[in-house]
Amino acid sequence: MTATPVKSESPHQWNHQRLYPLLLATVICVLIVCGTVTYQSIQRIRINSDLVAQTHENLRVLDRLESSIKDADSSQRGYIITGSTEYLEPFHNAAESINHFMQELEQRTDGDDQRQKGLETLKLLIRQKMDEMRLTITLSRESMSIAAENVLKNDTGKQFKNEIREQLTSIRSSHDRFLGERVAASDQAYIAALLTALTSTIVGLSLVAAVFWTVQDSRKKMEAATAVLFTERKRLQVTFASIGDGVVRDLTSAKKSQDEVSELASRLSEMDR
């Protein structure tokens, strides 16, 4: 019986054995990169969201500050025109609110030199305007209404008011630009996170498909190997059966020859007698 030669691994099989680990390492690297980019994008979205919320709060404080300045101006004019002291309490309350809101804005923009510079300019203008209002109230209280009215008619107070309005508009514009930049950055981070998540999903599905294909390919190879083993087993069974039949025939033939030799020897012995 001729022995079946052992087949060596083909170059195609050897290339596949090297390709599978390389593909797996590539997929793992891609997933790690996608996960890192997604995490960083989510962090940027969170940071930008916090900054946007802080900017909106700054704008609300600016609105309250401007409203308090208007209240102080209305109370001052009401007192000078009517001489009623009931306007003084709203004026003092508005002055306290102005100080409170300015301090809050300074705290909220601490570390931002550009915004701090704008607030310093606004603070100086408000102080000058408040000094002008306090002067007119003092003059009116001391029965110097004409002098107080002259101060009101002076363009200095109006100029302070216009400059305060312009400075508030400038600060709001700065905040609006910052909001636009943060919203754009959040959109970019969202798109990056979306793309990386989509890439991770595609890579993950590709990995599942590759694993499924590998399992199916291994199953087919196992079935083919099982079929080969089954065929070889049948062939060996047939071979062993043939060998057994040959041995039986040889033994039977040898026994028959032995009987013939014994019979011939018996005849020769009888002839010698």
Side-chain angles (χ1 to χ4, degrees), residues 108-254:
R108 296 183 67 84
T109 58
D110 186 27
D112 191 334
D113 295 337
Q114 184 176 0
R115 292 185 180 180
Q116 286 284 329
K117 185 178 180 180
L119 288 177
E120 284 297 326
T121 302
L122 178 62
K123 187 176 181 179
L124 177 61
L125 292 172
I126 291 175
R127 183 185 299 117
Q128 292 172 339
K129 178 60 178 175
M130 293 301 295
D131 290 342
E132 182 262 342
M133 287 190 286
R134 289 189 180 96
L135 175 61
T136 57
I137 290 174
T138 300
L139 291 175
S140 180
R141 184 182 298 171
E142 295 177 356
S143 300
M144 301 175 63
S145 301
I146 296 177
E149 290 178 2
N150 289 334
V151 173
L152 284 176
K153 293 177 181 179
N154 193 333
D155 290 339
T156 303
K158 184 178 181 181
Q159 182 180 355
F160 287 150
K161 187 188 297 184
N162 292 335
E163 290 179 357
I164 289 172
R165 186 182 298 111
E166 291 175 358
Q167 188 64 22
L168 286 171
T169 302
S170 176
I171 294 174
R172 284 196 182 94
S173 299
S174 175
H175 280 74
D176 289 338
R177 287 194 301 270
F178 182 79
L179 278 177
E181 293 173 357
R182 292 305 93 197
V183 170
S186 295
D187 291 340
Q188 292 177 356
Y190 172 76
I191 293 174
L194 184 63
L195 290 177
T196 51
L198 181 61
T199 302
S200 300
T201 302
I202 294 174
V203 171
L205 292 176
S206 300
L207 180 60
V208 171
V211 171
F212 178 77
W213 178 84
T214 302
V215 171
Q216 292 296 320
D217 184 63
S218 299
R219 184 180 61 82
K220 291 178 180 179
K221 289 180 179 179
M222 187 177 298
E223 291 177 352
T226 302
V228 170
L229 289 175
F230 182 78
T231 302
E232 291 296 329
R233 179 183 176 185
K234 287 292 185 182
R235 185 181 298 172
L236 287 174
Q237 287 177 347
V238 172
T239 301
F240 287 146
S242 299
I243 293 174
D245 292 342
V247 170
V248 171
R249 284 197 300 270
D250 290 342
L251 291 175
T252 303
S253 178

Side-chain angles (χ1 to χ4, degrees), residues 53-71:
Q54 292 175 8
T55 304
H56 280 299
E57 185 60 30
N58 290 345
L59 289 172
R60 282 192 287 269
V61 175
L62 281 173
D63 291 338
R64 295 170 187 168
L65 175 62
E66 185 176 18
S67 177
S68 297
I69 295 172
K70 291 179 180 179
D71 291 342

Side-chain angles (χ1 to χ4, degrees), residues 3 28 43 82 124 135 153 185 255:
I28 292 174
Q43 289 295 103
T82 64
L124 177 61
L135 175 61
K153 293 177 181 179
K255 185 177 181 181

